[in-house]
């Protein structure tokens, strides 16, 4: 197992569209294990392969308090979505920033599991929001794209300042948090 480096906004590699996985093999399962280790250590409730500079359609999610409900989605597809949910979102690639975003409240999705089998799932609440946020990463989209250009610019400056000060993870960023108005 390994802790992988997480790319930070505005790194252009976060804008790359991830490719479909054509074979679920031991190498891919190793990537999934490393992504879980990286997500749990951050800590976060989701992680997309794009964020660790691997451009394959793989996401991991665990919204449980005890980090004991790991979920893997390979080639995830949203089949349907309805309702509107507004939630404060964070992102391991935008450390220390939380902003309100609107998404579908309820989704139905299809994906492959780590054995390469197709499954379908209905999700709502935090799970639905987190899965939509992660699928956006696979498409090169970040939650800051839903904000105004002015807010995005302020976030970019805040992250540049954090980098200059050597603050490069979520925990450290939260200690030095200043609001983005
Ligand atoms: O994709 C990511 O960068 C992970 C991100 C997922 C996410 C959070 C909130 C709404 C939508 C998607 C995070 O995990 S940010 C950190 C976070 O939310 C958290 C960390 C520890 C405990 C609980 C939450
Ligand atoms: Zn994110």
């Amino acid at each position: 197992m390994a802790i992988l480096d997480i790319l930070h906004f505005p790194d252009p590699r976060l804008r790359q569209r991830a490719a479909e996985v054509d074979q679920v093999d031991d190498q891919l399962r190793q990537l999934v294990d490393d992504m879980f280790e990286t997500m749990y250590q951050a800590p976060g409730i989701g992680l997309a392969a794009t964020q660790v500079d691997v451009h394959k359609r793989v996401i991991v999610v665990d919204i449980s308090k005890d980090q004991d409900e790991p979920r893997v989605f390979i080639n995830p597809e949203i089949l349907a979505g309805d309702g509107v949910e507004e939630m404060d979102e964070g992102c391991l690639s935008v450390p220390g920033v939380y902003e309100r975003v609107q998404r579908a409240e309820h989704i139905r999705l299809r994906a492959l599991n780590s054995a390469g089998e197709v499954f379908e799932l209905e999700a709502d609440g935090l799970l639905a929001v987190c899965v939509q946020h992660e699928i956006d990463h696979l498409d090169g989209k970040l939650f800051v794209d839903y904000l105004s250009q002015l807010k995005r610019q302020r976030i970019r400056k805040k992250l540049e300042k954090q980098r200059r000060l050597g603050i490069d993870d979520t925990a450290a960023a939260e200690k030095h948090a200043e609001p983005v108005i």
Side-chain angles (χ1 to χ4, degrees), residues 72-164:
V72 184
F73 302 90
I74 300 164
N75 295 341
E77 276 175 81
I78 295 182
L79 304 174
D82 58 61
V84 179
E85 173 85 67
E86 199 177 55
M87 233 184 240
D88 271 343
E89 294 193 17
C91 181
L92 299 175
S93 296
V94 191
V97 175
Y98 290 85
E99 293 288 342
R100 241 167 158 65
V101 175
Q102 274 191 1
R103 300 203 184 256
E105 180 185 31
H106 178 92
I107 56 169
R108 177 158 193 84
L109 75 144
R110 181 189 294 149
L112 302 179
N113 63 19
S114 53
E117 299 155 345
V118 180
F119 69 98
E120 288 191 11
L121 180 81
E122 302 260 353
D124 47 29
L126 182 58
L127 180 59
V129 167
C130 189
V131 167
Q132 290 173 81
H133 174 117
E134 302 310 331
I135 293 177
D136 270 357
H137 275 302
L138 301 181
D139 293 330
K141 189 161 185 171
L142 295 166
F143 84 108
V144 295
D145 299 342
Y146 294 98
L147 310 177
S148 69
Q149 201 185 346
L150 180 64
K151 222 166 197 181
R152 212 164 33 251
Q153 250 169 21
R154 288 181 174 160
I155 291 169
R156 186 191 291 250
K157 284 198 178 129
K158 176 182 159 145
L159 262 64
E160 276 161 7
K161 184 174 169 191
Q162 284 179 187
R163 200 162 310 123
R164 279 200 306 277

Side-chain angles (χ1 to χ4, degrees), residues 5-9 14 35 38-48 51-52 60 89-98 133-134 137 142-143 159 168-171 173-174:
D5 286 337
I6 296 177
L7 302 176
H8 286 170
F9 174 74
L14 286 167
M35 285 174 62
T38 305
M39 178 189 80
Y40 286 137
Q41 194 247 232
I45 56 169
L47 189 70
Q51 293 176 277
V52 293
V60 297
E89 294 193 17
C91 181
L92 299 175
S93 296
V94 191
V97 175
Y98 290 85
H133 174 117
E134 302 310 331
H137 275 302
L142 295 166
F143 84 108
L159 262 64
D168 62 356
D169 63 42
T170 302
E174 272 159 16

Side-chain angles (χ1 to χ4, degrees), residues 3-91:
I3 304 284
L4 307 170
D5 286 337
I6 296 177
L7 302 176
H8 286 170
F9 174 74
D11 192 310
R13 291 170 289 180
L14 286 167
R15 298 307 188 174
Q16 211 169 307
R17 186 184 152 81
E20 297 277 322
V21 170
D22 50 24
Q23 202 179 348
V24 180
D25 55 14
D26 286 346
Q27 199 189 339
L28 194 86
R29 282 184 281 272
Q30 182 62 57
L31 168 67
V32 167
D33 288 350
D34 292 346
M35 285 174 62
F36 273 118
E37 197 179 5
T38 305
M39 178 189 80
Y40 286 137
Q41 194 247 232
I45 56 169
L47 189 70
T50 307
Q51 293 176 277
V52 293
D53 202 18
V54 176
H55 301 279
K56 294 181 183 171
R57 300 190 78 79
V58 180
I59 67 176
V60 297
V61 173
D62 188 343
I63 60 162
S64 71
K65 254 195 221 139
D66 298 326
Q67 301 190 329
D68 59 358
E69 289 171 26
R71 297 170 192 262
V72 184
F73 302 90
I74 300 164
N75 295 341
E77 276 175 81
I78 295 182
L79 304 174
D82 58 61
V84 179
E85 173 85 67
E86 199 177 55
M87 233 184 240
D88 271 343
E89 294 193 17
C91 181

